[in-house]
């Protein structure tokens, strides 16, 4: 296995209310009202947001994604239902905020983490590692990712998808500078789509090792390079 982020099915811990929430920005991801605007929030609003996300994460751990409704989160966080709607807009916005926290962790890995995923490794090695990391992250959070996917007309323009596409395009321009790297990046990312991973693993019964090998083979064919031995 080249590189795998075996993330726990539980989401990473959220900042405690007393901790500063204005963390350094990576790429902008998430929906309006996501963590990217937290420095502008009043302290009580920031505490409420952390409480709501912690409550939603608990519900997922206990009941799965189906157990996450706006009403259930409000009850678990002991706030009014209107507070949840004002903060996240709707259920999809709430689920996207949960994914945003995980996406920032992944971004930190490929923007400034150690190689092979982060800087310091050759671009081809980083591209291989990137796909495997996204693959395992998606598999671990598959139900959440499927529930939080934007509608088809907005899916590919979503900032979270855009940040991944930007990174893959950058790596491809270093590996195959004469190619249509923007379009190739779309093609590569399509193979990492959560709906496809769901189909292959849960409906077709394919093991993750086969999907990992398939990603490495696809990268080799797209870039005209030899797959790792």
């Amino acid at each position: 296995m080249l590189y795998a982020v075996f993330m726990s099915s539980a989401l990473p811990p959220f900042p405690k209310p007393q901790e500063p929430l204005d963390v350094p920005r990576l790429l902008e991801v998430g929906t309006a009202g996501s963590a990217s605007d937290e420095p502008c929030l009043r302290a009580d609003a920031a505490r409420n947001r952390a409480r709501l996300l912690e409550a939603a994460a608990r519900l997922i751990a206990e009941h799965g994604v189906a157990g996450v409704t706006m009403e259930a989160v409000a009850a678990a966080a002991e706030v009014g239902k209107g507070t949840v709607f004002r903060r996240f807009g709707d259920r999809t916005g709430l689920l996207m905020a949960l994914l945003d926290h995980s996406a920032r962790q992944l971004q930190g890995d490929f923007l400034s983490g150690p190689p092979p995923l982060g800087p310091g490794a050759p671009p081809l090695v980083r591209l291989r590692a990137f796909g495997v990391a996204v693959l395992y992250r998606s598999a671990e959070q598959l139900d959440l990712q499927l529930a939080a996917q934007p509608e088809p007309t907005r899916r590919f323009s979503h900032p979270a998808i855009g940040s991944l596409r930007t990174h893959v395009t950058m790596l491809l321009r270093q590996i195959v500078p004469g190619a249509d790297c923007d379009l190739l990046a779309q093609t590569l990312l399509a193979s990492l789509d959560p709906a496809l991973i769901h189909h292959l693993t849960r409906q077709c019964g394919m093991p993750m090792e086969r999907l990992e090998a398939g990603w490495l083979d696809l990268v080799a064919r797209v870039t005209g390079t030899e797959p790792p031995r």
Side-chain angles (χ1 to χ4, degrees):
M1 185 176 297
L2 173 70
Y3 178 93
V5 178
F6 289 101
M7 299 182 67
S8 168
S9 55
L11 293 170
F14 292 93
K16 298 299 181 185
Q18 68 270 19
E19 293 177 0
L21 293 175
D22 53 343
V23 296
R25 290 188 179 184
L26 301 175
L27 299 175
E28 295 295 338
V29 298
T31 56
S34 68
S36 61
D37 62 3
E38 284 179 354
C40 303
L41 296 177
R42 300 187 312 274
D44 59 337
R47 283 193 293 269
N48 280 340
R49 183 180 190 278
R51 234 167 83 198
L52 291 169
L53 290 176
E54 288 167 358
R58 286 198 306 272
L59 287 172
I60 289 178
E62 295 168 3
H63 307 291
V65 174
V68 180
T69 64
M70 304 298 265
E71 294 80 4
V73 172
E78 299 181 341
V79 301
K81 184 171 67 173
T83 300
V84 188
F85 278 97
R86 284 192 299 273
R87 191 66 191 92
F88 301 106
D90 55 18
R91 182 174 182 269
T92 297
L94 172 62
L95 295 176
M96 284 304 304
L98 287 166
L99 278 180
D100 177 68
H101 182 66
S102 171
R104 284 168 173 266
Q105 187 177 57
L106 175 64
Q107 288 176 1
D109 287 341
F110 70 66
L111 287 176
S112 57
L117 186 57
L124 177 60
V125 175
R126 293 187 68 193
L127 182 59
R128 293 169 179 161
F130 169 85
V132 178
V134 172
L135 180 65
Y136 280 91
R137 170 179 171 270
S138 294
E140 289 289 337
Q141 301 177 354
L142 198 50
D143 291 336
L144 176 59
Q145 293 212 17
L146 290 175
Q149 273 197 333
E151 60 180 292
T153 57
R154 295 189 297 115
R155 187 173 303 162
F156 297 105
S157 61
H158 193 278
I161 300 299
S163 68
L164 301 183
R165 185 170 59 248
T166 297
H167 181 65
V168 172
T169 301
M170 177 200 72
L171 294 176
L172 285 171
R173 285 175 178 162
Q174 298 176 63
I175 303 167
V176 283
D180 187 343
C181 296
D182 293 308
L183 191 54
L184 286 182
Q186 298 276 17
T187 301
L188 286 173
L189 288 173
S191 70
L192 301 173
D193 183 78
L196 178 60
I197 295 173
H198 176 274
H199 171 68
L200 294 176
T201 58
R202 299 190 183 179
Q203 296 176 334
C204 298
M206 290 187 186
M208 290 298 295
E209 291 79 8
R210 183 174 176 185
L211 270 61
E212 178 179 341
W215 166 260
L216 299 177
D217 181 65
L218 180 61
V219 168
R221 294 176 187 276
V222 165
T223 60
T225 58
E226 291 293 324
R229 301 298 180 189

